[in-house]
Amino acid sequence: MNFGARMLKTGIAVTLALYLTMLLNLTPPVIAAIAAIFAMQPTIYKSWTYFLDQLLTNTLGAVIAVAAGRLLSHEPIAVGLTCIVVIMICLKMKRADTIGLTLVTVISVMEASGQWDFALNRFLINVVGIFSAFIVNVVVLPPNPRSQFLGQIQSTFNQLSLLMRTAVSDEIKENVFRDQQKELEGSIQSLADKYNLLEEDQHKRKRPSYTESRHLVVYKQMLRTLRKGSEVVEAVEEHYFPASRTLPLDQLFDQQLEYMVKYHEHVLLKFEGKLKRDDEPWQNLEEENERFARAMQEYMEQREDSTMRLSIVAAEIHAYGYQLERLNRLVEHYGEGDRGEGKPWTHWLNPKNWRGEKS
């Protein structure tokens, strides 16, 4: 298990919330600690929106709890019915993420039979916890999903490269291969989560810039290409070895996978700005794909037994090549229109450089 920044910040936020409640003489402080844990979000933008949403739903929940506590007392069935009503209102307002803490406020207020001073106390405790998490998230190692996404692309590709280069040659131990494959799946899922954060952040903005939209297109294709490469590895493992094949066929598949891994690496180097402008040694991927398809067709015509499994693997490899070619075109367009000559991708790890560049 890796020790991440979010773990550290959650601990700091809980500590800050407890100290603030002690300073303000608010009890019980444990509610502020719980609020701080819930309020720690993966991006600063989500932290701010979560803070505003919690203020809205907690205020509404406290008002409903006061009214329900005075009208229905604090009988268990009354508390349960009030919680159902609050949940329905939160869902109707599209604030599902705030339900947990809002219900904590509702239950604690109804426990005191809807007293206003008690409701205000619980509301302030929640606000202290949420505010603590927001401040810590902004000040201590502020999250940057864009740089995290870009930084993880290369490491995920290295995992994919190892698996593809050894998939057909069967050089790597089976248990090691499976462990590496699970790690690759986890890395791709992590990249998908980070991309979803970037996409969500952009969609919630009223006017996302054209440059940022183009960046997301490239990032999405990077993710799609890695996922397709992972599907090639799965297809080889599931269908290639059970099929009847020859040594020349093994060499054909191995060479094709090696070529595509090199092409993928070339595209990533181009994206990082590490290649010369006139360096175009890998621009014949489409021709290479067609050559591979013709070779596979000739092999299948010569075979009398079933070649269905090999066809599945060949189709996955061809689809991987299509995604690679599309990624290459997007990276070239990205480099010419967004990044500018001479700027590597690390230039974009600095948030100050996300705007104001040539688009």
Side-chain angles (χ1 to χ4, degrees):
M1 181 178 65
N2 295 327
F3 183 81
R6 193 170 179 180
M7 297 182 188
L8 174 64
K9 291 192 291 185
T10 300
I12 296 175
V14 169
T15 304
L16 178 61
L18 293 174
Y19 273 121
L20 287 177
T21 52
M22 293 170 58
L23 182 64
L24 298 173
N25 293 322
L26 298 174
T27 57
V30 65
I31 295 180
I34 295 173
I37 294 172
F38 275 99
M40 186 57 64
Q41 299 295 313
T43 66
I44 294 176
Y45 178 77
K46 291 197 69 173
S47 292
W48 175 243
T49 56
Y50 186 85
F51 179 74
L52 297 179
D53 290 344
Q54 281 290 356
L55 287 180
L56 175 62
T57 57
N58 268 270
T59 302
L60 183 61
V63 171
I64 295 175
V66 168
R70 293 189 173 184
L71 293 175
L72 305 175
S73 72
H74 59 275
E75 293 297 326
I77 188 171
V79 175
L81 290 174
T82 305
C83 287
I84 293 175
V85 172
V86 171
I87 292 173
M88 293 174 62
I89 293 175
C90 289
L91 292 177
K92 188 68 175 179
M93 297 171 61
K94 297 182 179 180
R95 302 291 192 274
D97 293 343
T98 66
I99 290 176
L101 281 180
T102 303
L103 292 182
V104 171
T105 301
V106 171
I107 295 172
S108 59
V109 171
M110 289 196 68
E111 183 184 5
S113 300
Q115 298 178 15
W116 275 106
D117 55 344
F118 192 87
L120 180 60
N121 178 74
R122 290 295 186 267
F123 176 78
L124 291 176
I125 292 175
N126 269 337
V127 171
V128 167
I130 300 167
F131 178 76
S132 298
F134 175 72
I135 291 299
V136 170
N137 209 22
V138 172
V139 175
V140 181
L141 301 173
N144 190 342
R146 184 185 296 266
S147 65
Q148 292 170 355
F149 181 89
L150 293 174
Q152 196 174 341
I153 284 290
Q154 184 61 49
S155 62
T156 304
F157 167 73
N158 291 337
Q159 294 173 326
L160 175 65
S161 174
L162 173 64
L163 292 174
M164 293 193 72
R165 284 191 163 107
T166 58
V168 174
S169 61
D170 199 23
E171 297 170 334
I172 194 171
K173 293 182 179 179
E174 185 175 351
N175 62 327
V176 176
F177 185 90
R178 290 180 178 176
D179 291 341
Q180 291 292 323
Q181 192 172 10
K182 289 182 180 179
E183 290 183 11
L184 174 63
E185 293 173 356
S187 297
I188 292 177
Q189 183 58 49
S190 177
L191 279 172
D193 294 339
K194 290 180 175 62
Y195 174 81
N196 289 336
L197 290 175
L198 292 172
E199 191 175 43
E200 180 183 1
D201 182 44
Q202 177 172 292
H203 286 169
K204 287 187 176 181
R205 297 182 183 181
K206 294 182 179 180
R207 294 181 179 179
S209 70
Y210 178 61
T211 299
E212 289 175 334
S213 300
R214 294 173 68 182
H215 291 172
L216 278 185
V217 172
V218 179
Y219 301 158
K220 186 175 185 178
Q221 185 59 30
M222 285 181 170
L223 176 60
R224 182 180 292 143
T225 305
L226 287 170
R227 184 176 283 125
K228 179 55 67 176
S230 176
E231 292 174 2
V232 171
V233 174
E234 293 176 4
V236 171
E237 183 182 24
E238 184 174 354
H239 297 289
Y240 186 78
F241 293 105
S244 176
R245 62 193 195 281
T246 62
L247 180 60
L249 185 69
D250 285 345
Q251 294 175 345
L252 175 64
F253 272 89
D254 195 35
Q255 291 173 0
Q256 184 67 11
L257 291 177
E258 181 72 23
Y259 177 88
M260 289 192 162
V261 168
K262 288 184 177 180
Y263 189 94
H264 199 160
E265 183 180 32
H266 177 88
V267 174
L268 293 181
L269 289 173
K270 184 187 298 184
F271 176 76
E272 295 175 7
K274 294 181 178 180
L275 299 181
K276 299 177 180 178
R277 290 176 59 87
D278 58 349
D279 183 33
E280 302 291 341
W282 299 96
Q283 297 308 307
N284 56 344
L285 176 61
E286 187 174 354
E287 297 178 5
E288 185 66 21
N289 253 348
E290 292 301 321
R291 183 196 66 79
F292 175 72
R294 288 194 298 269
M296 282 299 304
Q297 183 178 2
E298 294 174 1
Y299 176 83
M300 293 176 184
E301 290 175 351
Q302 297 173 1
R303 302 289 297 186
E304 297 181 355
D305 53 346
S306 175
T307 57
M308 181 61 69
R309 287 182 176 270
L310 294 177
S311 299
I312 294 174
V313 180
E316 290 292 348
I317 293 176
H318 192 275
Y320 175 52
Y322 171 79
Q323 298 296 340
L324 278 175
E325 184 60 33
R326 186 166 186 269
L327 176 61
N328 180 58
R329 292 195 299 268
L330 288 173
V331 166
E332 288 182 343
H333 186 57
Y334 171 89
E336 293 173 0
D338 291 328
R339 227 172 347 110
E341 182 179 358
K343 291 188 178 67
W345 68 270
T346 49
H347 169 79
W348 297 97
L349 296 184
N350 186 351
K352 295 180 180 179
N353 298 324
W354 295 353
R355 292 185 173 89
E357 297 293 337
K358 181 181 178 182
S359 59

